[in-house]
Amino acid sequence: FGAVQPLLSMDGIVDFAAEARFVDMDLDGDLDIVHNVDDLNPDMPMVGWRENFIADPYLLSGIVFSDSNGNGAFDTGEEGMAGAAVNVSPTGYLAFGSGTGEYTIHCNDGSLIVAATMINPFWEQTTMPLEYTVAPSDLQPIWTGLDFGFQPIVDTSLIHPEVVLASAPCSDTASLWITAMNEGTRIEDGTIVLMLDGAFAFLSSSPAPASINGDTITWTFNDLAYFTAQVIHASVIMPDAQAIGDLYTHAVSVTTLDAQSDTSGSFSAQLTDVVSCAYDPNDKLVSPQGYGAYGAVDLSTAYLDYTIRFQNTGNAPAQDVVLRDHIDPQLDATSLRVLGYSHVPTEVTVESGSELVVRFIGIQLPDSGSSFTESQGFIKFRIEFHPGLPHLAQAPNTAEIYFDLNELVQTNTTLTTLVDCDLWEPTITAVAIGLLEATAGDQYQWYLNGTLLPGENEQTHWATALGDYSAVVTSVYGCEVSTPPYTVTTLGLEERNRMALALVPNPFSVEARLYLDAPLNSDLRADIMDIHGRIMRSIPGTGSEVISIERGSLASGVYLVVIRETDRVLRSVRMVVQ
C-alpha cells in the first residue's frame, strides 16, 4: 500500500495510525487510511480501511416512525422511534435511529439499496416500498425522505432491564445505573425495584426514588415510549477493603401496569460479581465472561453482551464523546442491539469494516474533579455469533474512547473462545511404577473406586492401594470431564515405608520432573551425582512433591539422583541425560 505516512493529531502527536498508508482504495478521488490492526489479535493480523468521506457530498437520511394509523405515511402527531437497523447494501453500512428515530448516512455514489429491520418480530412495516433503491450522484448527491413506518402486530409488554456498576475504589462513591428498555408494543407505566446488595449503601439517585425500605429502593415511571429506556443513575458507597473477593448481587425487577393498574408484565435482571475495588475508569466488559484466560464459553453460546464504561478524567467538561469498537469477524454486526445506556446516544452506526461507532454529541460530560459520578457513562449492547463456528474460534474485542479532540483512550481487550467440551477426553497413564499421571489440565481431583480422595488435586498421584483410579480433569478451557478408570493390580514397591521416587521422562535431554510420594522438606535435599560419586548439583527441599531438574550444564551420561537427610540416604534413582 505504499510508504508509511504518520497521521498526526492536532497537537502534533502521532495517533494510532503510526503504521498508516494513505491510499485511494475506492478510486473516488480522495485518500483513505489503510492501517494494521493486528494489535487486537496477534494470531490474526488484519488490515483496516477507514474510508474518507470528507469530500463526498453524498448523503442519505430519513426517519423510522411508529405508524399509529397504519396508512404508510409519517403524519402529524406520529413519533419517530429507535429500534430499527437501517441497512445500506452492498456496503454493509448500518445506522440505528436516534431517540427521535432520525438517521443520517454518509455514503459513496452509485446504486444502493436501503432497508430497515426491527430488532424483534412484533412489528410489521407499513411504508412502501419495503426498500429504497437510490443512486447518489453529482446531480443528486442528497437523498431525503427515506422513511420507514412500522405498526405493531401483537399487543405485548416486553421490558429489558440492566444493572451496571461503574468502577470505583473501596469505600468510595460509585455510579450504579438501572435501565429499563421498552422493547414491546405498548407505551408503558410501571415500577422499578432495586434490591441492593447489603455490602453497599444507597446515597441518592436521579430521578429520586418513590420509596426506600432498607436495601430495597423503588421508582415509578410513566409513558415509556417504544425502544427508549428509563435510566436511573444512583450513587452508592462501595464496600471497604475487607470485602475484596466477596461475591455480591444487585437485583432489579420491573413491573408494567395496564390502564386499570393491573400487572401486564414482570421482568428481572441481576448483576453478580466479586468485589475488587479496582479502579479503571475506561474499560470493556463482556458477558458471559467465560472461563480462565481464554474466556472460554460453550460452543452453543448464541451471543455476547458488551459494556463500554467511560469517564471524563480531564480537567474540563467533554462536549462530545465518541466510542469506536471493531466488531470481530466471528460476530454478526447486523445483529447488533443496544441494551442500555447512561446517556441517550445521538448516533449508533456500524461502518464499513464492521466498526461500531457510538456518538454522544452535546453530552457535556463533567470532569471527574467536578463530579466523580456525573463524569461517568456507559453503553451496553448485544451481538450474535455467526452460526457454525468451529471449536476454539476466538473473538477479541477492544474499544476506543474519544473525549472531544483529545488523544484516544484504548480499553482493555476482552477475549471469548468458543469451546466444544465433547472433544475433551483426559486419560490416566502410569509414568513410573506406582505413579499415575492425568492429562495436563487446569484442575484435578482424584478418586479411588469412585470415592473422592481428599487433597489429591495434582496432575500426578501415587497409588497407595489396589483398585480403580480416576480423575476429574478441568481443561484450560473449563471443560470438566472424568477420565476412564485406570486399574492398579500391583503397587510394585518393595517397601511402602520407604520414600518412593519417579523420574519423568527418563532418559531426557532438556528437563525432567522428579516425583516423590511425600514432600521434600527443608531438612532434605536432592543430590545429583556423576558416575565418580561427585555431587554435580544439590537441590534443597522446599516442601514440594515435584522437583524440576533442568539439564543446564550436565553432560550426556548416567547420573544418580539421591535424596538425603543430612548424610543419610533415603532413596535414589538412576538418571540418564541424552
Side-chain angles (χ1 to χ4, degrees):
F1 295 105
V4 174
Q5 301 180 56
L7 181 66
L8 303 181
S9 61
M10 293 186 68
D11 55 7
I13 298 176
V14 176
D15 203 346
F16 73 94
E19 299 281 341
R21 277 80 166 164
F22 296 102
V23 185
D24 186 3
M25 294 291 293
D26 50 3
L27 303 179
D28 64 352
D30 49 33
L31 296 177
D32 306 306
I33 298 174
V34 179
H35 63 102
N36 68 328
V37 290
D38 58 337
D39 288 343
L40 299 179
N41 185 358
D43 296 328
M44 188 188 298
M46 300 174 64
V47 174
W49 165 21
R50 300 192 180 219
E51 191 171 353
N52 185 359
F53 293 115
I54 193 168
D56 291 354
Y58 313 118
L59 197 69
L60 311 177
S61 66
I63 188 170
V64 179
F65 65 97
S66 172
D67 190 4
S68 56
N69 59 17
N71 67 351
F74 184 36
D75 299 322
T76 302
E78 293 180 333
E79 297 182 353
M81 62 177 184
V86 180
N87 178 278
V88 180
S89 57
T91 65
Y93 192 101
L94 279 177
F96 297 85
S98 65
T100 61
E102 296 173 313
Y103 71 91
T104 300
I105 297 174
H106 297 271
C107 62
N108 285 336
D109 58 349
S111 180
L112 302 171
I113 297 176
V114 185
T117 305
M118 294 296 288
I119 67 170
N120 63 45
F122 304 146
W123 301 77
E124 64 178 359
Q125 185 173 332
T126 59
T127 48
M128 297 297 291
L130 295 179
E131 59 186 27
Y132 298 95
T133 299
V134 298
S137 65
D138 292 341
L139 294 177
Q140 187 179 352
I142 299 175
W143 291 67
T144 61
L146 305 179
D147 300 340
F148 297 95
F150 288 88
Q151 186 180 45
I153 56 177
V154 294
D155 182 27
T156 184
S157 294
L158 179 60
I159 300 292
H160 182 93
E162 288 286 350
V163 188
V164 175
L165 177 69
S167 62
C170 287
S171 303
D172 208 339
T173 303
S175 289
L176 179 73
W177 292 280
I178 304 163
T179 62
M181 180 75 72
N182 183 4
E183 296 182 347
T185 58
R186 295 178 177 178
I187 305 297
E188 297 288 9
D189 300 335
T191 61
I192 298 175
V193 178
L194 169 67
M195 280 110 350
L196 190 70
D197 188 276
F200 293 71
F202 178 81
L203 286 180
S204 61
S205 70
S206 178
S211 67
I212 301 176
N213 184 9
D215 294 325
T216 301
I217 303 99
T218 302
W219 296 264
T220 61
F221 62 90
N222 300 101
D223 299 326
L224 184 60
Y226 312 122
F227 301 104
T228 59
Q230 173 66 50
V231 180
I232 298 170
H233 184 190
S235 294
V236 298
I237 299 295
M238 293 284 291
D240 60 29
Q242 294 181 346
I244 292 178
D246 292 349
L247 203 66
Y248 70 84
T249 298
H250 303 306
V252 63
S253 62
V254 181
T255 301
T256 55
L257 305 174
D258 61 19
Q260 288 74 42
S261 297
D262 295 327
T263 299
S264 60
S266 182
F267 313 90
S268 61
Q270 67 179 35
L271 172 64
T272 299
D273 207 341
V274 174
V275 175
S276 67
C277 298
Y279 174 52
D280 186 356
N282 298 284
D283 65 1
K284 186 71 179 290
L285 307 175
V286 63
S287 178
Q289 185 176 354
Y291 179 89
Y294 296 98
V297 299
D298 189 82
L299 188 64
S300 63
T301 301
Y303 56 80
L304 297 176
D305 290 347
Y306 286 110
T307 304
I308 303 175
R309 301 186 295 188
F310 56 88
Q311 182 176 31
N312 176 15
T313 57
N315 54 18
Q319 180 176 338
D320 305 322
V321 175
V322 177
L323 313 178
R324 289 186 172 271
D325 190 337
H326 178 81
I327 299 173
D328 191 84
Q330 312 289 0
L331 299 166
D332 180 7
T334 64
S335 69
L336 188 139
R337 166 186 166 198
V338 176
L339 300 179
Y341 42 71
S342 58
H343 306 75
V344 180
T346 52
E347 187 177 52
V348 179
T349 58
V350 178
E351 298 181 350
S352 57
S354 293
E355 185 175 40
L356 169 65
V357 181
V358 182
R359 291 182 170 87
F360 300 92
I361 305 303
I363 188 175
Q364 295 294 336
L365 195 67
D367 61 271
S368 55
S370 301
S371 175
F372 184 83
T373 54
E374 295 296 329
S375 65
Q376 298 172 318
F378 83 95
I379 189 166
K380 186 169 186 176
F381 55 92
R382 175 172 294 175
I383 305 183
E384 297 176 4
F385 280 102
H386 285 295
L389 292 175
H391 173 61
L392 299 186
Q394 292 187 329
N397 191 278
T398 306
E400 298 172 353
I401 305 172
Y402 298 81
F403 298 93
D404 292 331
L405 297 179
N406 295 306
E407 186 176 356
L408 72 88
V409 177
Q410 191 171 61
T411 70
N412 57 294
T413 298
T414 65
L415 178 62
T416 301
T417 304
L418 294 175
V419 176
D420 184 356
C421 284
D422 289 341
L423 301 178
W424 175 238
E425 298 177 343
T427 59
I428 295 174
T429 56
V431 293
I433 297 177
L435 181 64
L436 307 180
E437 182 178 72
T439 302
D442 205 31
Q443 299 178 52
Y444 311 87
Q445 177 58 62
W446 287 85
Y447 293 79
L448 174 59
N449 296 326
T451 302
L452 183 144
L453 298 174
E456 295 301 314
N457 308 119
E458 302 296 329
Q459 184 181 359
T460 56
H461 176 72
W462 285 100
T464 58
L466 305 181
D468 292 332
Y469 287 85
S470 62
V472 173
V473 185
T474 303
S475 75
V476 294
Y477 300 110
C479 300
E480 190 176 279
V481 175
S482 179
T483 67
Y486 185 94
T487 303
V488 174
T489 56
T490 177
L491 300 178
L493 298 178
E494 299 175 1
E495 299 178 58
R496 281 308 308 173
N497 61 345
R498 297 179 63 194
M499 177 177 286
L501 301 181
L503 187 69
V504 181
N506 192 17
F508 74 96
S509 57
V510 178
E511 182 182 15
R513 301 182 306 278
L514 180 66
Y515 293 98
L516 305 90
D517 66 349
L520 191 70
N521 296 321
S522 57
D523 57 340
L524 304 176
R525 71 179 190 274
D527 291 337
I528 300 177
M529 304 174 61
D530 66 8
I531 58 175
H532 302 293
R534 295 176 297 187
I535 297 178
M536 308 301 295
R537 189 182 302 167
S538 186
I539 305 173
T542 60
S544 174
E545 297 179 6
V546 182
I547 298 174
S548 175
I549 300 178
E550 297 182 357
R551 174 175 184 155
S553 60
L554 296 176
S556 298
V558 178
Y559 297 85
L560 197 64
V561 180
V562 180
I563 305 299
R564 297 180 186 272
E565 182 181 27
T566 312
D567 293 326
R568 185 167 69 96
V569 175
L570 301 181
R571 189 76 174 171
S572 63
V573 63
R574 181 172 176 267
M575 181 176 78
V576 178
V577 178
Q578 292 180 326

